[in-house]
Amino acid sequence: MRKPFVAGNWKMNTDSSSSVELAEGIASDATEIASAKATVAVFPPFVYLQSVTKALGTSSVGVGAQDVYFEPDGAFTGEISTSMLKDIGCTYCLCGHSERRHVIGETDELINKKLAAAITGGLLPILCVGELLAEREASKTNDVVTRQLENGLAGLSEAKLSAVTIAYEPVWAIGTGLTATPQQAQEVHEFIRKLLAKMYSGELAEGIRIQYGGSVKPDNAAELMAQPDIDGLLVGGASLKADGFLAIIQGAI
Ligand code: PGA
């Protein structure tokens, strides 16, 4: 059985006090009870990672970064390495979030380097994939997801994949209030699992967790999670309120 994995991506939101307040709100008894049945993690902005980790205290909520750079150190102004993230207690990182792909301009090749560095550096990365609205309308969803997975995972052995979670996030559903229907999401998740079985093995495909992301809310979490190939949720906007995030976690278990 794949343990559900619910992650809150705070994006470029919160400030020094509200990030701590949000973390304290999330680190509740109810979350502790829920996290026996689900992996829970939050992804604050880089500058609040340490204060959020401190605010979470002994809670089992993990902390991750929204991005990472692939070089270990050196003259890379503005970038953050895997060892820096490990040094301050990060467990996870996102790689290839759609906003990094489509707003910042990251390529599959760059994302592949980041993912490989994250695994080598001992982080547990979430590789995000998903199609634009025009690509869905042109029936290209499976092609896009195949390209992003084949290029994003290039050169990574099956053993290394044990550190990885995949997040399917249709770009047209992110921050728009338009959620993929559970059936639309399930179709792509099933496709991804079969693709991973071909690329690696049936055993790997059965074990890997595939999250859905894109306008997940307390009232749609349970129906998305009821789909057989949806193993978790990557939540943006709705993770910025502790009670809403907790309701999503409860919907996921
Ligand atoms: P959203 O964002 O829940 O606000 O749509 C999801 C994401 O980008 O991870």
Side-chain angles (χ1 to χ4, degrees):
M1 263 302 281
R2 299 179 291 267
K3 190 176 187 185
F5 184 2
V6 182
N9 173 13
W10 297 1
K11 308 194 179 185
M12 200 173 73
N13 292 300
T14 69
D15 60 21
S16 55
S17 61
S18 63
S19 57
V20 165
E21 218 175 286
L22 179 54
E24 286 168 351
I26 290 170
S28 64
D29 290 346
T31 306
E32 280 318 292
I33 293 166
S35 59
K37 293 194 195 146
T39 308
V40 179
V42 293
F43 293 73
F46 281 124
V47 290
Y48 307 131
L49 282 169
Q50 276 182 292
S51 48
V52 163
T53 302
K54 192 161 165 238
L56 287 169
T58 56
S59 145
S60 46
V61 176
V63 178
Q66 297 172 18
D67 188 27
V68 65
Y69 198 57
F70 63 88
E71 294 285 1
D73 52 43
F76 303 101
T77 302
E79 296 296 344
I80 306 284
S81 70
T82 56
S83 60
M84 291 172 182
L85 294 176
K86 290 288 288 180
D87 185 35
I88 58 162
C90 270
T91 305
Y92 303 94
C93 69
L94 302 181
C95 288
H97 186 274
S98 81
E99 285 139 25
R100 302 232 40 105
R101 291 177 187 271
H102 300 294
V103 181
I104 315 292
E106 291 193 6
T107 61
D108 285 325
E109 289 66 32
L110 176 59
I111 294 160
N112 174 244
K113 286 183 183 168
K114 291 182 171 190
L115 192 75
I119 299 168
T120 305
L123 292 169
L124 302 175
I126 299 177
L127 172 63
C128 306
V129 300
E131 81 287 2
L132 297 164
L133 181 59
E135 292 166 334
R136 173 163 282 265
E137 286 174 348
S139 305
K140 294 252 164 59
T141 299
N142 291 353
D143 296 346
V144 171
V145 164
T146 300
R147 189 200 75 226
Q148 291 173 335
L149 285 169
E150 286 181 350
N151 294 335
L153 297 173
L156 294 175
S157 66
E158 181 157 342
K160 289 206 162 172
L161 263 276
S162 62
V164 176
T165 299
I166 306 292
Y168 168 60
E169 299 201 294
V171 182
W172 48 272
I174 296 178
T176 58
L178 281 176
T179 317
T181 64
Q183 293 70 27
Q184 281 174 321
Q186 165 59 22
E187 268 174 32
V188 184
H189 280 237
E190 189 182 350
F191 174 80
I192 291 172
R193 202 175 301 285
K194 287 190 173 148
L195 178 66
L196 292 169
K198 271 190 249 160
M199 288 170 65
Y200 292 94
S201 69
E203 198 188 336
L204 176 119
E206 271 309 301
I208 199 163
R209 292 186 290 188
I210 309 175
Q211 296 173 318
Y212 168 80
S215 298
V216 173
K217 298 183 249 350
D219 62 5
N220 61 21
E223 56 173 2
L224 286 160
M225 287 298 296
Q227 301 300 312
D229 288 296
I230 300 184
D231 310 316
L233 302 165
L234 180 52
V235 189
S239 70
L240 293 170
K241 293 242 166 18
D243 53 352
F245 188 55
L246 178 59
I248 290 172
I249 298 165
Q250 282 166 337
I253 57 178

